Amino acid sequence: MKHTEQKEIWVFVDGRNERHFTLSLNVLAKARELAASVSGTTVALLMGSTLGTARGKRGASFPASAAVKRCVSGGADYVHLFDNPLLVVARTDVYAPVIADAVESGGPMLVLFALTDFGRDLAARTARLCNAGLIADCVDLAYREGRVVASCPSWGGEILAKITYTEGYNATGFATVQAHGITPSIAPGTPGTVVTRPLADITVPRKAKLISSALDAGEHKKLEEADVVVVGGAGAGSAEGFAMVRTLASALGGEVG
């Protein structure tokens, strides 16, 4: 992997649905904060097709052009739209080589991914293809004394470790970022340029086949997204006692922990 002096921070934008798209925009806000500290720029990476659609809230579709506008309004100075119909179906084994090739030619300072199951898988695959360093599960990122420093929970969350790339490492760094605690950017990117990157040949591995995909029913929120969490344990005494916890959570519009 080539060394880089580019002060660009790239963010993979997950367009599978509204929830993942929003998490990606939160990471974009963190990228904008980092870019400001190094006089750099932010770049949003979108996978899809100018002729196709991305997946939106509750399965509704929205055009790639709408996703591009939201990226710019969310702080992307540039938006790179990788254009091929085969990219509309989200697969980490397909996306990773595409991003890796772009990193090899573009040499950004950092590539960030929202901390989701898909983001973890994609970041690891892409970093390996680039033979690059990956800092996983960050809750914060900062630029200090000429290097990127990540704050990452360790030992079951009992301590907060400070992690950086090795001394003298000046190639592209990768990181997965916990997006829930980040405030979205209200300042649009400048100049907000869209770069369409047509891809003539996309390799889809034959040994893995997507059978189906569907959104969660959405009746319950993930604990990290809930405004109210009602926690119960052995003190409830029995299954009947724990049912009171569920009843309270339902009354408060919360989730059970």
Side-chain angles (χ1 to χ4, degrees):
M1 182 177 178
K2 73 175 185 179
H3 292 185
T4 178
E5 296 181 357
Q6 297 289 340
K7 292 183 178 180
E8 293 182 351
I9 300 177
W10 292 6
V11 176
F12 168 74
V13 177
D14 190 342
R16 289 177 295 160
N17 53 58
E18 181 66 24
R19 183 171 74 87
H20 290 105
F21 194 92
T22 300
L23 292 176
S24 299
L25 292 184
N26 289 357
V27 175
L28 184 60
K30 173 55 66 174
R32 184 176 178 84
E33 178 185 317
L34 281 172
S37 65
V38 296
S39 300
T41 56
T42 55
V43 178
L45 308 181
L46 274 173
M47 301 289 177
S49 173
T50 54
L51 300 177
T53 57
R55 300 301 295 172
K57 188 175 182 180
R58 295 181 181 175
S61 62
F62 60 93
S65 58
V68 167
K69 289 180 180 178
R70 290 182 63 184
C71 288
V72 173
S73 63
D77 298 314
Y78 297 88
V79 179
H80 290 190
L81 173 60
F82 295 88
D83 185 11
N84 188 293
L86 293 176
L87 295 175
V88 173
V89 177
R91 290 182 51 165
T92 58
D93 55 353
V94 176
Y95 284 7
V98 171
I99 299 176
D101 287 345
V103 169
E104 290 288 351
S105 60
M109 173 181 168
L110 281 173
V111 183
L112 306 181
F113 302 78
L115 183 53
T116 62
D117 290 340
F118 190 87
R120 279 193 179 106
D121 188 1
L122 181 58
R125 287 175 180 268
T126 310
R128 176 62 188 90
L129 289 173
C130 294
N131 195 29
L134 168 64
I135 301 177
D137 301 2
C138 308
V139 295
D140 193 23
L141 286 166
Y143 193 75
R144 297 172 183 163
E145 298 179 357
R147 61 170 58 189
V148 174
V149 178
S151 300
C152 305
S154 185
W155 290 95
E158 294 183 8
I159 65 173
L160 198 61
K162 299 294 184 181
I163 301 175
T164 188
Y165 301 101
T166 57
E167 190 73 30
Y169 183 85
N170 61 350
T172 299
F174 289 74
T176 54
V177 183
Q178 174 58 263
H180 294 287
I182 302 174
T183 302
S185 175
I186 59 174
T190 304
T193 301
V194 181
V195 180
T196 301
R197 304 177 67 156
L199 300 174
D201 298 314
I202 295 291
T203 300
V204 179
R206 296 181 179 180
K207 294 184 179 180
K209 180 180 180 181
L210 177 65
I211 298 175
S212 66
S213 65
L215 294 176
D216 289 338
E219 295 179 357
H220 299 283
K221 290 184 177 180
K222 293 179 178 292
L223 290 182
E224 62 267 26
E225 298 175 355
D227 295 324
V228 176
V229 177
V230 180
V231 181
S238 64
E240 291 75 14
F242 196 81
M244 297 175 63
V245 177
R246 299 186 184 279
T247 301
L248 179 59
S250 177
L252 295 176
E255 297 298 327
V256 175

mmCIF file of all heavy atoms in Angstrom, residues 37-73:
data_model
loop_
_atom_site.group_PDB
_atom_site.id
_atom_site.type_symbol
_atom_site.label_atom_id
_atom_site.label_comp_id
_atom_site.label_asym_id
_atom_site.label_seq_id
_atom_site.Cartn_x
_atom_site.Cartn_y
_atom_site.Cartn_z
ATOM 1 N N SER A 37 -9.421 19.850 11.842
ATOM 2 C CA SER A 37 -8.215 19.957 12.663
ATOM 3 C C SER A 37 -6.932 19.795 11.862
ATOM 4 O O SER A 37 -5.851 20.125 12.348
ATOM 5 C CB SER A 37 -8.249 18.919 13.790
ATOM 6 O OG SER A 37 -8.204 17.607 13.273
ATOM 7 N N VAL A 38 -7.044 19.276 10.620
ATOM 8 C CA VAL A 38 -5.852 19.097 9.781
ATOM 9 C C VAL A 38 -5.966 19.870 8.470
ATOM 10 O O VAL A 38 -5.178 19.657 7.553
ATOM 11 C CB VAL A 38 -5.602 17.605 9.481
ATOM 12 C CG1 VAL A 38 -5.300 16.843 10.752
ATOM 13 C CG2 VAL A 38 -6.773 16.977 8.728
ATOM 14 N N SER A 39 -6.953 20.779 8.411
ATOM 15 C CA SER A 39 -7.208 21.544 7.180
ATOM 16 C C SER A 39 -7.429 20.602 6.000
ATOM 17 O O SER A 39 -6.908 20.824 4.899
ATOM 18 C CB SER A 39 -6.057 22.511 6.883
ATOM 19 O OG SER A 39 -5.883 23.429 7.939
ATOM 20 N N GLY A 40 -8.200 19.556 6.247
ATOM 21 C CA GLY A 40 -8.459 18.563 5.216
ATOM 22 C C GLY A 40 -9.876 18.619 4.695
ATOM 23 O O GLY A 40 -10.621 19.575 4.948
ATOM 24 N N THR A 41 -10.269 17.587 3.966
ATOM 25 C CA THR A 41 -11.601 17.526 3.370
ATOM 26 C C THR A 41 -12.256 16.185 3.698
ATOM 27 O O THR A 41 -11.582 15.201 4.004
ATOM 28 C CB THR A 41 -11.547 17.689 1.836
ATOM 29 O OG1 THR A 41 -10.668 16.686 1.290
ATOM 30 C CG2 THR A 41 -11.032 19.061 1.451
ATOM 31 N N THR A 42 -13.577 16.168 3.595
ATOM 32 C CA THR A 42 -14.333 14.941 3.839
ATOM 33 C C THR A 42 -14.898 14.413 2.525
ATOM 34 O O THR A 42 -15.336 15.182 1.659
ATOM 35 C CB THR A 42 -15.483 15.179 4.820
ATOM 36 O OG1 THR A 42 -16.311 16.246 4.332
ATOM 37 C CG2 THR A 42 -14.952 15.552 6.190
ATOM 38 N N VAL A 43 -14.898 13.090 2.399
ATOM 39 C CA VAL A 43 -15.402 12.442 1.189
ATOM 40 C C VAL A 43 -16.363 11.327 1.604
ATOM 41 O O VAL A 43 -16.003 10.456 2.399
ATOM 42 C CB VAL A 43 -14.259 11.841 0.350
ATOM 43 C CG1 VAL A 43 -14.821 11.135 -0.889
ATOM 44 C CG2 VAL A 43 -13.265 12.930 -0.060
ATOM 45 N N ALA A 44 -17.584 11.361 1.088
ATOM 46 C CA ALA A 44 -18.560 10.304 1.341
ATOM 47 C C ALA A 44 -18.501 9.299 0.198
ATOM 48 O O ALA A 44 -18.472 9.681 -0.975
ATOM 49 C CB ALA A 44 -19.967 10.893 1.449
ATOM 50 N N LEU A 45 -18.471 8.015 0.548
ATOM 51 C CA LEU A 45 -18.441 6.943 -0.445
ATOM 52 C C LEU A 45 -19.814 6.296 -0.532
ATOM 53 O O LEU A 45 -20.299 5.720 0.445
ATOM 54 C CB LEU A 45 -17.399 5.885 -0.071
ATOM 55 C CG LEU A 45 -15.982 6.363 0.227
ATOM 56 C CD1 LEU A 45 -15.099 5.165 0.564
ATOM 57 C CD2 LEU A 45 -15.404 7.148 -0.950
ATOM 58 N N LEU A 46 -20.437 6.399 -1.693
ATOM 59 C CA LEU A 46 -21.757 5.819 -1.915
ATOM 60 C C LEU A 46 -21.667 4.709 -2.948
ATOM 61 O O LEU A 46 -21.038 4.872 -3.994
ATOM 62 C CB LEU A 46 -22.737 6.884 -2.417
ATOM 63 C CG LEU A 46 -23.471 7.741 -1.381
ATOM 64 C CD1 LEU A 46 -24.246 8.847 -2.094
ATOM 65 C CD2 LEU A 46 -24.417 6.901 -0.549
ATOM 66 N N MET A 47 -22.303 3.597 -2.649
ATOM 67 C CA MET A 47 -22.368 2.481 -3.592
ATOM 68 C C MET A 47 -23.768 2.398 -4.182
ATOM 69 O O MET A 47 -24.759 2.467 -3.448
ATOM 70 C CB MET A 47 -22.055 1.167 -2.883
ATOM 71 C CG MET A 47 -20.696 1.120 -2.238
ATOM 72 S SD MET A 47 -19.383 1.024 -3.461
ATOM 73 C CE MET A 47 -17.950 1.092 -2.383
ATOM 74 N N GLY A 48 -23.867 2.265 -5.493
ATOM 75 C CA GLY A 48 -25.184 2.152 -6.092
ATOM 76 C C GLY A 48 -25.131 2.290 -7.584
ATOM 77 O O GLY A 48 -24.174 1.886 -8.237
ATOM 78 N N SER A 49 -26.171 2.887 -8.113
ATOM 79 C CA SER A 49 -26.265 3.062 -9.553
ATOM 80 C C SER A 49 -27.080 4.302 -9.850
ATOM 81 O O SER A 49 -28.108 4.552 -9.217
ATOM 82 C CB SER A 49 -26.924 1.843 -10.203
ATOM 83 O OG SER A 49 -27.167 2.078 -11.570
ATOM 84 N N THR A 50 -26.610 5.095 -10.796
ATOM 85 C CA THR A 50 -27.369 6.275 -11.202
ATOM 86 C C THR A 50 -28.665 5.866 -11.889
ATOM 87 O O THR A 50 -29.586 6.672 -12.032
ATOM 88 C CB THR A 50 -26.544 7.148 -12.161
ATOM 89 O OG1 THR A 50 -26.084 6.337 -13.258
ATOM 90 C CG2 THR A 50 -25.349 7.744 -11.447
ATOM 91 N N LEU A 51 -28.746 4.610 -12.292
ATOM 92 C CA LEU A 51 -29.962 4.105 -12.939
ATOM 93 C C LEU A 51 -30.834 3.318 -11.966
ATOM 94 O O LEU A 51 -31.969 2.984 -12.281
ATOM 95 C CB LEU A 51 -29.600 3.194 -14.123
ATOM 96 C CG LEU A 51 -28.768 3.850 -15.228
ATOM 97 C CD1 LEU A 51 -28.428 2.820 -16.300
ATOM 98 C CD2 LEU A 51 -29.530 5.021 -15.844
ATOM 99 N N GLY A 52 -30.281 3.032 -10.786
ATOM 100 C CA GLY A 52 -31.012 2.219 -9.824
ATOM 101 C C GLY A 52 -31.421 3.024 -8.619
ATOM 102 O O GLY A 52 -31.533 4.243 -8.668
ATOM 103 N N THR A 53 -31.680 2.338 -7.514
ATOM 104 C CA THR A 53 -32.112 2.991 -6.300
ATOM 105 C C THR A 53 -31.376 2.398 -5.120
ATOM 106 O O THR A 53 -30.816 1.320 -5.197
ATOM 107 C CB THR A 53 -33.619 2.794 -6.064
ATOM 108 O OG1 THR A 53 -33.901 1.390 -6.024
ATOM 109 C CG2 THR A 53 -34.434 3.446 -7.162
ATOM 110 N N ALA A 54 -31.372 3.147 -4.040
ATOM 111 C CA ALA A 54 -30.880 2.626 -2.771
ATOM 112 C C ALA A 54 -32.099 2.299 -1.916
ATOM 113 O O ALA A 54 -33.208 2.704 -2.218
ATOM 114 C CB ALA A 54 -29.992 3.666 -2.079
ATOM 115 N N ARG A 55 -31.887 1.568 -0.847
ATOM 116 C CA ARG A 55 -33.001 1.202 0.011
ATOM 117 C C ARG A 55 -33.237 2.282 1.056
ATOM 118 O O ARG A 55 -32.318 2.803 1.655
ATOM 119 C CB ARG A 55 -32.721 -0.123 0.710
ATOM 120 C CG ARG A 55 -32.508 -1.277 -0.243
ATOM 121 C CD ARG A 55 -33.687 -1.527 -1.141
ATOM 122 N NE ARG A 55 -34.850 -1.952 -0.373
ATOM 123 C CZ ARG A 55 -36.060 -2.094 -0.911
ATOM 124 N NH1 ARG A 55 -36.260 -1.818 -2.177
ATOM 125 N NH2 ARG A 55 -37.071 -2.494 -0.167
ATOM 126 N N GLY A 56 -34.482 2.599 1.269
ATOM 127 C CA GLY A 56 -34.820 3.647 2.212
ATOM 128 C C GLY A 56 -35.603 3.124 3.399
ATOM 129 O O GLY A 56 -35.684 1.927 3.635
ATOM 130 N N LYS A 57 -36.213 4.017 4.162
ATOM 131 C CA LYS A 57 -36.909 3.668 5.382
ATOM 132 C C LYS A 57 -38.051 2.701 5.104
ATOM 133 O O LYS A 57 -38.861 2.909 4.207
ATOM 134 C CB LYS A 57 -37.432 4.940 6.048
ATOM 135 C CG LYS A 57 -38.017 4.719 7.431
ATOM 136 C CD LYS A 57 -38.395 6.047 8.045
ATOM 137 C CE LYS A 57 -38.934 5.852 9.457
ATOM 138 N NZ LYS A 57 -39.309 7.136 10.074
ATOM 139 N N ARG A 58 -38.094 1.614 5.886
ATOM 140 C CA ARG A 58 -39.137 0.604 5.786
ATOM 141 C C ARG A 58 -39.262 0.043 4.380
ATOM 142 O O ARG A 58 -40.338 -0.268 3.892
ATOM 143 C CB ARG A 58 -40.477 1.173 6.253
ATOM 144 C CG ARG A 58 -40.493 1.545 7.731
ATOM 145 C CD ARG A 58 -41.826 2.071 8.181
ATOM 146 N NE ARG A 58 -41.786 2.436 9.592
ATOM 147 C CZ ARG A 58 -42.800 3.016 10.225
ATOM 148 N NH1 ARG A 58 -43.920 3.289 9.575
ATOM 149 N NH2 ARG A 58 -42.690 3.306 11.505
ATOM 150 N N GLY A 59 -38.133 -0.062 3.709
ATOM 151 C CA GLY A 59 -38.123 -0.718 2.417
ATOM 152 C C GLY A 59 -38.434 0.200 1.250
ATOM 153 O O GLY A 59 -38.334 -0.205 0.103
ATOM 154 N N ALA A 60 -38.834 1.452 1.508
ATOM 155 C CA ALA A 60 -39.113 2.367 0.408
ATOM 156 C C ALA A 60 -37.813 2.734 -0.285
ATOM 157 O O ALA A 60 -36.756 2.787 0.324
ATOM 158 C CB ALA A 60 -39.794 3.626 0.938
ATOM 159 N N SER A 61 -37.870 2.962 -1.568
ATOM 160 C CA SER A 61 -36.661 3.273 -2.320
ATOM 161 C C SER A 61 -36.510 4.775 -2.500
ATOM 162 O O SER A 61 -37.488 5.516 -2.529
ATOM 163 C CB SER A 61 -36.718 2.591 -3.693
ATOM 164 O OG SER A 61 -37.819 3.070 -4.437
ATOM 165 N N PHE A 62 -35.267 5.214 -2.592
ATOM 166 C CA PHE A 62 -35.006 6.603 -2.929
ATOM 167 C C PHE A 62 -33.838 6.640 -3.897
ATOM 168 O O PHE A 62 -32.941 5.803 -3.824
ATOM 169 C CB PHE A 62 -34.737 7.454 -1.681
ATOM 170 C CG PHE A 62 -33.558 7.016 -0.862
ATOM 171 C CD1 PHE A 62 -32.307 7.566 -1.078
ATOM 172 C CD2 PHE A 62 -33.702 6.076 0.140
ATOM 173 C CE1 PHE A 62 -31.220 7.170 -0.317
ATOM 174 C CE2 PHE A 62 -32.623 5.681 0.911
ATOM 175 C CZ PHE A 62 -31.377 6.231 0.681
ATOM 176 N N PRO A 63 -33.834 7.580 -4.833
ATOM 177 C CA PRO A 63 -32.787 7.611 -5.855
ATOM 178 C C PRO A 63 -31.432 7.981 -5.277
ATOM 179 O O PRO A 63 -31.338 8.610 -4.216
ATOM 180 C CB PRO A 63 -33.290 8.688 -6.823
ATOM 181 C CG PRO A 63 -34.183 9.550 -6.008
ATOM 182 C CD PRO A 63 -34.830 8.647 -5.000
ATOM 183 N N ALA A 64 -30.385 7.576 -5.992
ATOM 184 C CA ALA A 64 -29.028 7.886 -5.555
ATOM 185 C C ALA A 64 -28.825 9.389 -5.435
ATOM 186 O O ALA A 64 -28.075 9.853 -4.573
ATOM 187 C CB ALA A 64 -28.026 7.285 -6.537
ATOM 188 N N SER A 65 -29.504 10.164 -6.281
ATOM 189 C CA SER A 65 -29.352 11.618 -6.244
ATOM 190 C C SER A 65 -29.788 12.188 -4.895
ATOM 191 O O SER A 65 -29.193 13.132 -4.376
ATOM 192 C CB SER A 65 -30.166 12.269 -7.367
ATOM 193 O OG SER A 65 -31.541 11.915 -7.261
ATOM 194 N N ALA A 66 -30.823 11.588 -4.282
ATOM 195 C CA ALA A 66 -31.290 12.049 -2.976
ATOM 196 C C ALA A 66 -30.253 11.733 -1.904
ATOM 197 O O ALA A 66 -30.010 12.539 -1.003
ATOM 198 C CB ALA A 66 -32.623 11.395 -2.639
ATOM 199 N N ALA A 67 -29.645 10.567 -1.996
ATOM 200 C CA ALA A 67 -28.601 10.191 -1.038
ATOM 201 C C ALA A 67 -27.410 11.129 -1.147
ATOM 202 O O ALA A 67 -26.821 11.528 -0.136
ATOM 203 C CB ALA A 67 -28.172 8.747 -1.282
ATOM 204 N N VAL A 68 -27.050 11.489 -2.359
ATOM 205 C CA VAL A 68 -25.933 12.414 -2.580
ATOM 206 C C VAL A 68 -26.213 13.759 -1.914
ATOM 207 O O VAL A 68 -25.351 14.322 -1.220
ATOM 208 C CB VAL A 68 -25.692 12.600 -4.093
ATOM 209 C CG1 VAL A 68 -24.772 13.795 -4.338
ATOM 210 C CG2 VAL A 68 -25.105 11.343 -4.705
ATOM 211 N N LYS A 69 -27.418 14.287 -2.096
ATOM 212 C CA LYS A 69 -27.770 15.584 -1.510
ATOM 213 C C LYS A 69 -27.706 15.537 0.011
ATOM 214 O O LYS A 69 -27.245 16.482 0.657
ATOM 215 C CB LYS A 69 -29.165 15.990 -1.970
ATOM 216 C CG LYS A 69 -29.248 16.374 -3.444
ATOM 217 C CD LYS A 69 -30.666 16.761 -3.833
ATOM 218 C CE LYS A 69 -30.740 17.131 -5.310
ATOM 219 N NZ LYS A 69 -32.132 17.473 -5.713
ATOM 220 N N ARG A 70 -28.143 14.440 0.589
ATOM 221 C CA ARG A 70 -28.104 14.324 2.047
ATOM 222 C C ARG A 70 -26.672 14.231 2.560
ATOM 223 O O ARG A 70 -26.359 14.729 3.647
ATOM 224 C CB ARG A 70 -28.917 13.117 2.494
ATOM 225 C CG ARG A 70 -30.412 13.295 2.296
ATOM 226 C CD ARG A 70 -31.189 12.097 2.807
ATOM 227 N NE ARG A 70 -31.015 11.912 4.244
ATOM 228 C CZ ARG A 70 -31.528 10.887 4.916
ATOM 229 N NH1 ARG A 70 -32.230 9.972 4.268
ATOM 230 N NH2 ARG A 70 -31.330 10.774 6.212
ATOM 231 N N CYS A 71 -25.806 13.606 1.795
ATOM 232 C CA CYS A 71 -24.393 13.539 2.190
ATOM 233 C C CYS A 71 -23.758 14.925 2.186
ATOM 234 O O CYS A 71 -23.015 15.285 3.103
ATOM 235 C CB CYS A 71 -23.625 12.602 1.263
ATOM 236 S SG CYS A 71 -23.987 10.851 1.492
ATOM 237 N N VAL A 72 -24.053 15.694 1.159
ATOM 238 C CA VAL A 72 -23.501 17.052 1.074
ATOM 239 C C VAL A 72 -24.034 17.918 2.205
ATOM 240 O O VAL A 72 -23.284 18.633 2.877
ATOM 241 C CB VAL A 72 -23.818 17.682 -0.297
ATOM 242 C CG1 VAL A 72 -23.403 19.157 -0.317
ATOM 243 C CG2 VAL A 72 -23.112 16.928 -1.409
ATOM 244 N N SER A 73 -25.349 17.848 2.453
ATOM 245 C CA SER A 73 -25.929 18.649 3.526
ATOM 246 C C SER A 73 -25.440 18.174 4.893
ATOM 247 O O SER A 73 -25.453 18.934 5.865
ATOM 248 C CB SER A 73 -27.457 18.589 3.471
ATOM 249 O OG SER A 73 -27.923 17.267 3.683
#
